[in-house]
Amino acid sequence: MIMPSLTNDTVTDSFDAETFAFDTHSTPHDFAPLEDAIAYVRDLVAPVWPLKDYVAVTPYAGFANQHFLAAHQQLQSVSTCQLLPSLRELAKSFAAKRFHIHDIELALGEWRFQSTSTASLFPDACDMTVNDILRYLHLDPTENETAAANLESLKTLSSWFDLANSTNWSNIILDEIGKHCAAYYENGQSSWQNPWKHLSLLEAWRSAATVDYNMDCLGLVGFRASIAALPHSARQIISQSLHLLGVPQQLWPQYLHCLVLSMPGWFAWTKYQTDYSPTASSTRSDFEDLLAIALTYESKLAQLTEFSVDWQAYWRGVGKRSESTGLQKNWLMRMILLRAHELSVERGLLQSINVKSAHLPEVSETQIKSRKVAQIVCCIDVRSERIRRNLEASSESIETFGFAGFFGVPIEHLEVGQVSGVSQVPVLIKPQIQVREGILDEPLSHTLAAISASAVRTRTEAIWKKFQYSATSCFSFVESMGGVFGWKSFASTQHHLGLFSRSILKWFAPLSSPQRGPTLCGLNEQGFDHRKQAELAAAVLRNIGLIDDFARLIVLCGHAAQTVNNPLSASLDCGACGGHSGKPNARFAALLLNQSYVREHLAERGIVIPADTFFIAAVHNTTSDEIELCDLQHLPESHQKDIEQLRRCARFASQQTRQERSTALGAPSTNNLLQRCLDWSEIRNEWGLAGNAAFVAGPRAMTRGINLDGQVFLHSYSQEKDPQSTTLELIMTAPLIVAHWINLQYYASTVDQAHYGSGTKTIHNPVGNFGILSGNSGDLRTGLPMESVHDGKQFYHHPLRLLAVIAAPRAKITPIIRKHAMLESLLSNQWMHLVVVDNEKFYRYQGNNAWQWIQQRSESLHS
Amino acid sequence: MGSSAIFQLAGIPEFGFYFDGASALMLALVSFVGWLVCRFSVRYLADDPNRGIYFRWIGFTLATVMLMTVSSSLLMFTLCWGLTSLGLHHLLLHFPDRPGARRAAWNKFVASRTGDLCLALACLFCYLNFGTTDFETLFLHYANADSSAVPAAGSAVVGWLLVAGAAIKSVQFPFHTWLPLTMEAPTPISALMHGGIVNAGGFLLIRSQPLLASAPNAMLFLTIVGTVTAVFASLVMLTQTSIKRSLAYSTIAQMGFMMLQCGLGLFAAAMLHLIAHSLYKAHAFLSSGTLRVPQNSAASASLTGGWSGISTRQKWQTFLQSLGSVFLVALTITTIAFRPLNHPNAWPLIAILLFAILSYVYQSVQTLSIPIVIYALFRASLVSCLYVSSFRIVDAIVSTSPQYSTVPAQFWGAVIVVAGFVFLAVLQILSVRLPHNRFVQRLYVHLSNGFYIESLWRKMLPSSTAR
C-alpha cells in the first residue's frame, strides 16, 4: 500500500525512521539547504585516480576561489589539515639561507599592500614587523606548533565520543567504511567478489550491512538491525542522520566538510567515481552515497549510545579560536615566511633569465647559424630540464623544445589483443582517436596471429592464476612451486641473474614479440580522415612553435619511468599521458608527421617540411636517463650519419644527467641509478618531480645554458609565431594548470602528509588493485609517499607555490586571465604566482588586472 | 639416528645442538629467508631513522630462530621460541605510534603466551616423568615405552600439550586473528614472519614426532583443527580485498594444511609444505608492490582460431612442449609407481593434488583451444613432476631423523580432510555459479569479516585499543 505523500512539516520536523521509510515523494524544496550543503562539500573535494593512471591532482582544487589564507583558516576550523608549512620547516629553510631577511621584508611589504583586500581575515595581525617575525622564528618552533595544535577544531561525533569515553570508534568506523568501499570497488584482487557490485554504492552497502554483524560484535549492539529501517535515498539518510546527530542546519556544510576530511581518501575516490572514471555518469552518486553511509555510522553511534554534542556552543568555541590573536599571528607569520621563500626563489630565477632573448625572434637566431642536425621536443616535465640542457651542451647542432608530453595527439592506445585501450591524454580531456597497435612492416596476417597468440597467453595465465589462488588448489600449487618462488626471490635480489633466467624462460614462452607499434589502421573509419590527420599535425607543430627551419631529424621524446615492485609507478610516468609512458604518443605523432599526404596537406597550410626531414620518436627513461630511439627501420641511408651523431649526443647527455642526479639522490655511482630500475627493494627509484617550483613559457634562448636544477617546467613559446594568442591561451589554460596541479600535489604531500600524502612506502598495502592502504586498513591513501618528498633526514621537496614566468606582453595576457575566471581566481587568491617578461622587464600579476614592475636588484646587496 | 649430530654445550644440561636432516633443512631455509629479508631491507629501509634498531631486532630474531631449529631439548626449543617471539614483538612495533601496530603486537602477545604456556607445561611434564627434556633421551624413553615404567597417561599429556602449543603458535583457528593484523610493520617483517617463523609449530611437531605416538587422539584432533583452519581461512582469503590481508589468510590456510598433514602422521609431506610455503610466501610479500591488474581479456572468439594464426616457430615450441609433457607425465608415473607415498594416510593428499591438477587441466580444456590445452598439460606435468621430485628429496632427508614409530591408519582423520575439501570445493563453485543466491550472499558477508573472530578478539582484549 502506498502512503500519501507527506506534508512539508512532517518532513522537516519529525525524523523518525518510519516516516522516512515511506516518504519518497517529498518535493525538492525540502532538501534545498541540504542540497546546498552537499554541493558545497562536493565541490571542495578533489578526486584521486586509480593506481594504474595515478596522475597528479591538487587536493585543494575546490578552494581555488578562496584566498590561500582563508582556505587554511577554513581547513583548520573543521580538521587538522595544514595548508601552511610548519614553522619548524620554515625556520630550517631560513637557517639554511634559502631566503633572507630582505625577502621577509619584501613579503611583509607585499602583504601590507594586499591587506586592503584580505584584512578582513586578520584584523588584529596587520601591525607586525620584520623583527617580530625574526623573534618568532628564533623561538622554539615546537612550542609554537603545539600551542597552535592544542586549539580545537570541529570534530565528528565519533571523535567526540572517543575523547569522552577513551574508545576507538572513529577508527572502527573508518575501517568499516573502508572495508565496504574496498569490497565494492575492488578490481580483480579477490576471487570471491562482492555480489552487489551492479547496485549503487549505497544499495550495495545496505545489502551487506543488513547481514553484517561486525559493528554488533564490536559492541554497537543493534546496529545491524537498524539498517533495514533506513530511508531509501541517500539524501533522506543524510537529512535524517544530521537531525539524529543534532547538527543545526547552519552547521551542515561545516559538519559535512569535517566528516569528509576525517577520511579524505575514500571521499576523493568516490568523487573520482562520480565525475571522472570511465563509468562516470550523471546517474552515479557515489559521493553522496558515501556521505550517507558515513553519517549513518555516526548517527547510529549517537543513537545507540545516547550520546550527544552541543554543536552550537562548540562551533562558537571554534570561531573564538580562529579569532585568537596568537593563532592568527602564527598563521600570518608562516604565510609571510612561505612567501619570502618564494620571493627568494623568484629572484634567483629572474636574475638568471636572459631577458634580452625573450623577445628576439627565434628565426634570426637559427638563420644565422647553419641548419641543425636534430630538433628534440621534450615534455615540459621538470625532469626534462636536465636532459635538455645536457643535450644542448653535447652539440651546437641540437636544439630542444618543451611541449606537453602527449604531443597534442589525444589518443587511446589499443595494444595487440586488447579490447579496451589506455587513454594517453591529460586526465581532463577525452581521447579522440583510437590508435591500434600492430606488427610493423608485416602483412596483416601477422597482426592477426599476434592477436590470437595474445589471447592464448592471456587465457593461459588466467587459468594458471586460478590454479594459484583457488581455495582448493592453492595448497598443491604452493607445495609444487615453492622452489620456483625461492629461485625467483633469489633472482630478484640478484637482478642480473633475474635477467638471465627471464631470457631462458623467454625461449619457452609461447610468443616472441616482433616489432610492434602504433598504426594508422582504422583512423578513417573513426571519421579521422587525411584532412583531419593533417589538421592535427598542423596544430601539433604550431603549438610547439616548430613551423619553419626544420632540422634533418626531429625527435619527439616522450618519457617514462622504469621501476619494479612499485604500486605508485604511474606517479613517476608522464602526467600529460594520463600517468603512462609517453612512448605511444611520440611514435604515433612521428608516424603521422612522416606521412607524405600529411606533409602535402601541411604545405597547403603554409608549413613546408623539407623532404629530408624525418620525425622519429624517442623515450627518455627518467629513472636511468637513457634515451631510447624508436622505429628507426624506415630511416633512409642518408640519415644514418645523423642518427649516429644523435646517439652520441644522447649518450653524453644521459651520462651527464645521471651524474647530476646521482648527487641529488645520494647514490654512490651512476651505475647505482641503473640498478634502481631493476631492484625490487628500491623505494626511491628517482625523485620524480620533487623540487618543482616554477613554470617558464618562452623561447629557449631565455633559459638556455642556465642550470635550473630540474626545478622548472619549460614550455616553448614564441609570441612572434602566435599573433592571435591562441597558443598562449592554450598554454595558460592547459599545461600551466597541469603544472599547477603537480606543484600543489607535491606541496600538499609535503606540508600535510597525514591527510594528503600516502605515508611511508614500507607499510603500503595495495587494495583492490586501485589504491593504497597504510598497514591493515583505514583510509585510502592519496598523494605521494614520504619517500617522494623526504630523504630520510629532511624534506627534499620545498613546498612552494608555482611561479609562472611567461614571455608575452601584459596586453596579451590580461585578456586571457579575464576570460578564464579560474585563472583569475588562482592568481589573485595566491594559489600560484605569475610574472611576465614584457619589453625586457618583469612584471608581477597582483590580481584584478594590476601589474607590479619588479625592480631587479644587484645581487651584492643581500648576499 | 645415525646421521644426527649432538653437541652438548659445556656444563649446561638441556642446552646443546641437535643436528640432523630435519634441522639441516630448517636451518638452511631460515638462513635463506633471513638473508633474503635482510638483503631486501637494506634498500627498503634505507630512509628509516630507526633502521639500526630494526636490524638489531631482526638479527636477534633470526639468531633465536636458528638456535631453535638446532635445539637439543624441548626446554631450549621453548625458550628460543619465546625469545623469537620477543624479537618479533619489537619488530611489529617498528612504528610504535600506530595504534594498529600496538593492537597487532598485543594480540600476538596473548596468543603466543597461551601457546608458550602449553609448551612450558609440556616441559614440566617431561621433566617430572623422565627427569629431562632432552630430545635424544625422550625419544629413547618413548621408543622403549613398553619396557620402561613410563606412565602412559603422562606421555599422552605431553603429546596433547605439544599439539596444543604448536597449533596455537602456528595460527590455528581461533588463534589466528593476530596474523592479518600485522601489516603495520614494514613488508620484510611480514615476509620473515610468514616465511620463517609462523611455521615453527610444524617444525616442533616434526622434530618431536616420536613423542606424539602416545597420543593418537591428539593427532586426530590436530587433523580436525588443521582441516577447519585450512577450509575456513582459504574461504576468507577469497574475499579479502587488500593484497597483504589475503596473503595473511592464505598463510593461515597453509598452516592449517601443514597441521593436518602432521595430524595424519605425514611428517615428510608437512616438511615439504613448510619449506615450499615459506619460499612462496616470502616472495609473495616481498613482491606485494606488484599489482595483479587483470588484463582486458581479448575477445574469446580469437581463441578458437587455434593453429591457424600461429607461426612456424611457435608450432615447434608447442610440439616440443607436448613432447616434454608426455615425458614428464611418464616420469611422474614411474616415480609414483616405484616409490609411492607409501603411507596408509597419504591418500587424501594424493586426492587433493590430483583434484587440483585435474581442475586446472579441465579449465583449460573448457577453452576448446588446442594451444592452451597443450600448454596447460605441459604445466600440469611440470607441476606433478616438481611435486614428486621435491617430495622425494625432502623425504630422503627427513627420514634420517627420528620418526614416529608406528603410524596408525587414521581412517576418520582422512575422511574428515576429504570431507572438508569437498565442502570447500562446493562452496567455491557455489560462489561462482550462484552469486545472487541469498545464502551465498550472506556467506560472503560473514566470510569477508572472517566470521567476526577478529572483532570478538578485539572486544575481548579491550586494553589493546586503549594502549
Side-chain angles (χ1 to χ4, degrees):
Chain A
M1 185 185 150
I2 297 165
M3 295 284 285
S5 65
L6 299 159
T7 64
N8 292 353
D9 288 342
T10 349
V11 174
T12 43
D13 290 338
S14 95
F15 280 88
D16 58 307
E18 265 182 26
T19 356
F20 264 95
F22 294 98
D23 173 37
T24 50
H25 305 281
S26 52
T27 54
H29 172 74
D30 303 327
F31 288 117
L34 189 66
E35 265 173 29
D36 290 348
I38 295 170
Y40 166 83
V41 280
R42 197 179 139 158
D43 290 344
L44 287 180
V45 174
V48 57
W49 264 262
L51 291 177
K52 66 182 169 62
D53 6 66
Y54 201 71
V55 291
V57 183
T58 159
Y60 309 124
F63 291 94
N65 50 13
Q66 290 180 44
H67 189 269
F68 189 74
L69 206 47
H72 178 74
Q73 188 175 20
Q74 191 186 342
L75 281 170
Q76 285 269 295
S77 69
V78 293
S79 71
T80 50
C81 288
Q82 292 288 340
L83 186 48
L84 289 165
S86 70
L87 201 59
R88 179 206 296 259
E89 289 302 321
L90 290 164
K92 271 191 203 164
S93 286
F94 184 69
K97 297 204 184 324
R98 291 194 198 101
F99 60 95
H100 306 273
I101 296 180
H102 168 71
D103 299 305
I104 303 179
E105 278 167 8
L106 280 178
L108 196 60
E110 194 183 87
W111 168 260
R112 289 216 187 91
F113 176 79
Q114 289 164 350
S115 57
T116 43
S117 57
T118 40
S120 56
L121 286 172
F122 297 101
D124 302 330
C126 284
D127 48 354
M128 63 171 69
T129 63
V130 176
N131 282 338
D132 288 343
I133 297 178
L134 288 177
R135 215 173 304 128
Y136 208 67
L137 264 182
H138 290 118
L139 287 175
D140 179 18
T142 44
E143 229 168 72
N144 288 325
E145 298 293 308
T146 40
N150 277 344
L151 293 156
E152 283 155 349
S153 58
L154 190 64
K155 288 187 186 68
T156 58
L157 180 118
S158 54
S159 309
W160 273 118
F161 188 87
D162 289 346
L163 276 181
N165 304 301
S166 58
T167 50
N168 208 7
W169 282 106
S170 48
N171 277 340
I172 291 176
I173 290 175
L174 183 55
D175 288 354
E176 275 299 286
I177 292 176
K179 178 185 83 185
H180 286 291
C181 284
Y184 179 70
Y185 291 113
E186 68 86 26
N187 174 23
Q189 170 62 38
S190 45
S191 321
W192 188 341
Q193 302 202 337
N194 185 324
W196 297 291
K197 281 186 176 180
H198 58 287
L199 301 175
S200 71
L201 176 62
L202 180 66
E203 290 311 312
W205 168 79
R206 195 200 302 265
S207 309
T210 46
V211 183
D212 196 322
Y213 285 96
N214 208 26
M215 289 300 279
D216 296 61
C217 285
L218 286 164
L220 199 63
V221 179
F223 179 83
R224 188 194 70 95
S226 71
I227 299 300
L230 282 179
H232 287 299
S233 79
R235 207 152 287 187
Q236 286 167 329
I237 295 177
I238 295 174
S239 168
Q240 189 196 38
S241 301
L242 283 170
H243 280 82
L244 277 174
L245 288 167
V247 181
Q249 189 172 323
Q250 67 270 29
L251 272 185
W252 284 357
Q254 283 80 5
Y255 189 78
L256 291 184
H257 194 199
C258 169
L259 187 71
V260 163
L261 289 172
S262 69
M263 51 185 110
W266 286 116
F267 276 103
W269 177 253
T270 47
K271 169 95 170 180
Y272 165 78
Q273 290 293 335
T274 317
D275 294 343
Y276 300 94
S277 78
T279 54
S281 72
S282 54
T283 54
R284 281 198 83 134
S285 59
D286 301 44
F287 185 83
E288 215 172 302
D289 289 356
L290 187 59
L291 267 183
I293 294 169
L295 276 169
T296 306
Y297 282 95
E298 297 282 328
S299 62
K300 293 298 166 194
L301 180 68
Q303 197 182 18
L304 296 169
T305 58
E306 293 175 357
F307 181 81
S308 65
V309 175
D310 184 356
W311 300 106
Q312 286 285 20
Y314 190 56
W315 183 247
R316 278 196 296 276
V318 171
K320 280 214 189 76
R321 170 233 183 185
S322 66
E323 281 161 20
S324 88
T325 331
L327 193 62
Q328 289 203 351
K329 199 170 160 190
N330 175 287
W331 291 349
L332 199 54
M333 299 262 184
R334 283 153 70 190
M335 169 85 179
I336 285 168
L337 289 168
L338 167 68
R339 185 66 189 134
H341 193 174
E342 287 168 350
L343 284 172
S344 161
V345 170
E346 179 189 288
R347 193 183 59 236
L349 178 65
L350 297 188
Q351 266 168 1
S352 61
I353 283 181
N354 185 353
V355 206
K356 298 224 160 46
S357 31
H359 293 268
L360 272 176
E362 285 217 329
V363 192
S364 62
E365 187 201 14
T366 40
Q367 271 171 351
I368 296 162
K369 291 167 189 165
S370 59
R371 189 178 173 198
K372 304 277 179 189
V373 169
Q375 287 162 324
I376 305 176
V377 186
C378 292
C379 184
I380 57 167
D381 194 290
V382 295
R383 289 167 290 184
S384 301
E385 190 271 327
R386 289 200 174 104
I387 197 90
R388 281 179 66 184
R389 173 157 43 80
N390 289 319
L391 276 167
E392 288 163 351
S394 70
S395 164
E396 279 288 299
S397 52
I398 284 185
E399 191 180 12
T400 67
F401 292 80
F403 190 60
F406 75 118
F407 301 106
V409 287
I411 60 169
E412 181 190 351
H413 186 237
L414 201 67
E415 270 184 47
V416 165
Q418 303 289 303
V419 281
S420 68
V422 178
S423 292
Q424 295 273 358
V425 285
V427 289
L428 293 182
I429 61 177
K430 290 253 174 288
Q432 280 152 24
I433 321 159
Q434 198 176 51
V435 173
R436 294 209 184 102
E437 195 189 44
I439 308 296
L440 300 177
D441 312 316
E442 301 281 357
L444 198 59
S445 65
H446 280 75
T447 303
L448 281 176
I451 291 173
S452 173
S454 155
V456 166
R457 192 173 38 195
T458 315
R459 281 306 284 274
T460 302
E461 285 313 311
I463 298 170
W464 182 249
K465 290 282 173 222
K466 258 191 191 165
F467 181 33
Q468 181 174 356
Y469 294 107
S470 143
T472 43
S473 57
C474 60
F475 306 102
S476 309
F477 178 88
V478 165
E479 287 187 340
S480 328
M481 298 296 292
V484 177
F485 283 94
W487 166 256
K488 273 190 173 179
S489 303
F490 179 73
S492 301
T493 309
Q494 315 290 319
H495 333 296
H496 43 282
L497 283 176
L499 288 178
F500 177 67
S501 70
R502 234 169 290 158
S503 64
I504 290 182
L505 279 179
K506 220 173 189 175
W507 191 79
F508 283 108
L511 181 77
S512 61
S513 50
Q515 180 71 30
R516 294 179 176 197
T519 60
L520 298 172
C521 288
L523 289 189
N524 272 325
E525 287 78 356
Q526 297 170 42
F528 203 70
D529 56 16
H530 285 189
R531 194 179 52 80
K532 281 195 175 158
Q533 291 174 29
E535 270 167 15
L536 180 68
V540 169
L541 292 177
R542 283 225 164 81
N543 288 329
I544 297 175
L546 190 62
I547 44 177
D548 42 25
D549 299 306
F550 292 96
R552 281 166 68 80
L553 290 175
I554 294 174
V555 186
L556 302 177
C557 183
H559 66 95
Q562 185 189 357
T563 64
V564 290
N565 204 19
N566 178 11
L568 291 171
S569 59
S571 70
L572 298 173
D573 279 337
C574 183
C577 302
H580 310 117
S581 160
K583 195 172 176 177
N585 297 68
R587 291 175 80 181
F588 176 71
L591 180 71
L592 199 63
L593 284 159
N594 279 335
Q595 301 302 314
S596 51
Y597 62 83
V598 171
R599 297 219 178 162
E600 281 163 26
H601 279 281
L602 282 178
E604 286 166 20
R605 286 174 172 74
I607 304 177
V608 184
I609 303 176
D612 65 349
T613 291
F614 274 86
F615 285 82
I616 52 178
V619 191
H620 171 208
N621 180 330
T622 51
T623 321
S624 70
D625 278 311
E626 296 287 330
I627 294 178
E628 179 203 351
L629 302 174
C630 313
D631 306 326
L632 296 180
Q633 66 275 26
H634 300 293
L635 205 72
E637 272 301 305
S638 56
H639 285 62
Q640 291 304 331
K641 261 180 71 183
D642 304 298
I643 277 289
E644 278 316 307
Q645 190 185 350
L646 182 65
R647 279 218 172 94
R648 273 197 302 278
C649 294
R651 267 201 299 276
F652 170 83
S654 299
Q655 185 56 29
Q656 284 296 114
T657 310
R658 274 198 291 271
Q659 207 93 46
E660 281 180 30
R661 278 186 50 232
S662 57
T663 330
L665 274 167
S669 68
T670 51
N671 271 347
N672 179 273
L673 298 191
L674 303 179
Q675 281 175 20
R676 288 185 191 220
C677 304
L678 303 169
D679 189 352
W680 70 334
S681 65
E682 183 57 60
I683 37 159
R684 186 183 302 112
N685 309 79
E686 54 165 298
W687 273 121
L689 293 105
N692 70 79
F695 175 96
V696 175
R700 176 60 175 156
M702 221 165 93
T703 47
R704 187 163 180 160
I706 306 166
N707 185 346
L708 295 170
D709 211 19
Q711 296 182 350
V712 181
F713 296 92
L714 292 175
H715 200 297
S716 292
Y717 176 66
S718 159
Q719 46 162 319
E720 284 75 15
K721 293 179 186 170
D722 181 35
Q724 306 296 322
S725 297
T726 46
T727 303
L728 184 62
E729 186 173 350
L730 191 72
I731 290 175
M732 289 184 66
T733 51
L736 179 60
I737 298 302
V738 169
H740 158 72
W741 277 33
I742 295 171
N743 170 265
L744 275 190
Q745 185 196 36
Y746 275 84
Y747 183 100
S749 299
T750 310
V751 300
D752 197 0
Q753 261 285 329
H755 293 91
Y756 298 123
S758 49
T760 170
K761 281 178 95 169
T762 56
I763 51 169
H764 273 184
N765 180 6
V767 59
N769 277 326
F770 67 81
I772 292 281
L773 299 178
S774 261
N776 299 327
S777 50
D779 195 14
L780 187 74
R781 300 307 297 261
T782 61
L784 298 162
M786 201 62 171
E787 283 81 3
S788 287
V789 291
H790 196 277
D791 71 359
K793 295 186 189 71
Q794 57 195 358
F795 279 104
Y796 176 83
H797 179 75
H798 302 302
L800 300 169
R801 290 163 294 177
L802 190 72
L803 165 70
V805 179
I806 300 178
R810 282 163 292 167
K812 277 187 168 180
I813 288 190
T814 314
I816 296 175
I817 297 177
R818 294 184 69 166
K819 185 170 160 196
H820 298 279
M822 173 197 51
L823 269 177
E824 171 65 46
S825 61
L826 284 177
L827 289 168
S828 55
N829 290 323
Q830 303 201 350
W831 291 96
M832 61 175 173
H833 305 285
L834 172 65
V835 167
V836 299
V837 190
D838 185 1
N839 206 9
E840 301 189 10
K841 287 201 180 78
F842 295 113
Y843 297 89
R844 187 184 292 129
Y845 186 69
Q846 293 184 305
N848 298 319
N849 305 331
W851 295 91
Q852 180 202 11
W853 174 44
I854 305 176
Q855 223 165 340
Q856 288 280 59
R857 295 231 207 160
S858 71
E859 208 157 347
S860 58
L861 261 178
H862 39 254
S863 59
Chain B
M1 274 155 262
S3 66
S4 61
I6 299 143
F7 310 96
Q8 196 69 33
L9 288 183
I12 317 167
E14 310 291 334
F15 285 83
F17 297 143
Y18 188 103
F19 191 73
D20 61 357
S23 312
L25 267 182
M26 198 62 190
L27 194 59
L29 175 73
V30 171
S31 311
F32 177 71
V33 173
W35 169 77
L36 198 61
V37 163
C38 290
R39 184 75 191 69
F40 191 91
S41 305
V42 170
R43 271 311 301 163
Y44 205 65
L45 279 110
D47 273 1
D48 198 302
N50 293 327
R51 63 184 176 280
I53 300 168
Y54 172 89
F55 276 107
R56 193 181 309 155
W57 281 114
I58 221 168
F60 176 85
T61 311
L62 280 171
T64 51
V65 182
M66 287 179 174
L67 215 50
M68 181 180 80
T69 59
V70 294
S71 292
S72 71
S73 73
L74 187 58
L75 180 66
M76 183 175 164
F77 196 106
T78 310
L79 282 178
C80 289
W81 204 354
L83 288 176
T84 306
S85 201
L86 172 74
L88 208 53
H89 189 80
H90 282 271
L91 288 171
L92 288 181
L93 285 171
H94 184 72
F95 297 108
D97 297 337
R98 293 184 67 83
R102 291 203 296 276
R103 192 152 67 86
W106 174 236
N107 271 17
K108 181 190 152 294
F109 184 83
V110 172
S112 294
R113 293 302 80 79
T114 318
D116 283 345
L117 186 68
C118 295
L119 295 183
L121 284 176
C123 288
L124 190 67
F125 265 89
C126 284
Y127 199 77
L128 290 178
N129 285 326
F130 311 106
T132 181
T133 64
D134 187 67
F135 283 128
E136 184 78 22
T137 328
L138 287 179
F139 296 161
L140 277 173
H141 275 296
Y142 272 80
N144 310 326
D146 302 329
S147 55
S148 70
V150 181
S155 47
V157 168
V158 171
W160 273 100
L161 285 171
L162 285 179
V163 163
I168 291 171
K169 292 195 81 171
S170 279
V171 293
Q172 297 303 290
F173 184 91
F175 291 91
H176 64 274
T177 55
W178 62 271
L179 196 67
L181 295 177
T182 54
M183 307 314 158
E184 302 275 334
T187 313
I189 302 295
S190 303
L192 177 66
M193 202 159 57
H194 292 251
I197 296 174
V198 78
N199 45 33
F203 179 66
L204 172 66
L205 297 181
I206 294 165
R207 157 59 59 243
S208 56
Q209 37 177 303
L211 307 186
L212 304 176
S214 56
N217 288 334
M219 299 286 275
L220 182 61
F221 174 72
L222 190 62
T223 312
I224 297 169
V225 168
T227 311
V228 169
T229 309
V231 170
F232 163 78
S234 57
L235 281 172
V236 175
M237 171 192 80
L238 295 180
T239 62
Q240 295 304 302
T241 51
S242 70
I243 289 186
K244 287 185 177 176
R245 268 182 76 87
S246 59
L247 285 178
Y249 270 102
S250 144
T251 301
I252 297 169
Q254 302 280 357
M255 289 299 109
F257 196 70
M258 181 178 76
M259 285 299 170
L260 77 84
Q261 287 174 322
C262 288
L264 289 173
L266 303 161
F267 291 101
M271 191 71 193
L272 166 66
H273 188 274
L274 192 160
I275 294 167
H277 171 256
S278 291
L279 296 173
Y280 171 73
K281 205 43 72 69
H283 179 271
F285 265 102
L286 294 182
S287 65
S288 63
T290 312
L291 297 181
R292 271 202 290 136
V293 179
Q295 296 267 306
N296 301 315
S297 52
S300 54
S302 56
L303 279 177
T304 49
W307 285 99
S308 62
I310 308 276
S311 73
T312 323
R313 184 179 158 202
Q314 288 151 23
K315 277 180 187 160
W316 270 107
Q317 273 187 1
T318 321
F319 174 72
L320 285 175
Q321 276 169 7
S322 31
L323 204 68
S325 307
V326 172
F327 172 72
L328 287 170
V329 167
L331 188 76
T332 313
I333 290 171
T334 333
T335 328
I336 290 178
F338 284 94
R339 285 294 303 270
L341 302 166
N342 50 358
H343 196 288
N345 292 338
W347 61 270
L349 293 196
I350 297 173
I352 289 169
L353 178 71
L354 280 180
F355 178 74
I357 291 179
L358 285 180
S359 58
Y360 170 64
V361 173
Y362 174 70
Q363 280 178 352
S364 65
V365 170
Q366 276 184 321
T367 62
L368 298 176
S369 155
I370 296 166
I372 290 182
V373 174
I374 290 177
Y375 206 58
L377 278 175
F378 169 69
R379 284 195 180 181
S381 13
L382 193 67
V383 163
S384 38
C385 180
L386 274 173
Y387 181 82
V388 170
S389 51
S390 34
F391 178 78
R392 299 284 344 128
I393 293 168
V394 170
D395 189 41
I397 297 173
V398 173
S399 59
T400 61
S401 299
Q403 300 221 2
Y404 191 114
S405 46
T406 44
V407 180
Q410 258 194 43
F411 176 72
W412 286 112
V415 167
I416 286 165
V417 171
V418 171
F421 271 78
V422 169
F423 176 68
L424 187 58
V426 167
L427 282 188
Q428 198 180 359
I429 291 169
L430 279 182
S431 78
V432 179
R433 292 286 158 83
L434 299 171
H436 298 298
N437 176 289
R438 272 307 277 162
F439 166 74
V440 175
Q441 286 181 340
R442 298 177 84 91
L443 189 64
Y444 165 81
V445 173
H446 299 321
L447 280 173
S448 63
N449 283 302
F451 271 97
Y452 315 105
I453 293 165
E454 271 179 52
S455 300
L456 292 173
W457 269 73
R458 190 171 181 167
K459 185 121 187 298
M460 253 171 46
L461 302 173
S463 47
S464 65
T465 50
R467 272 182 175 218

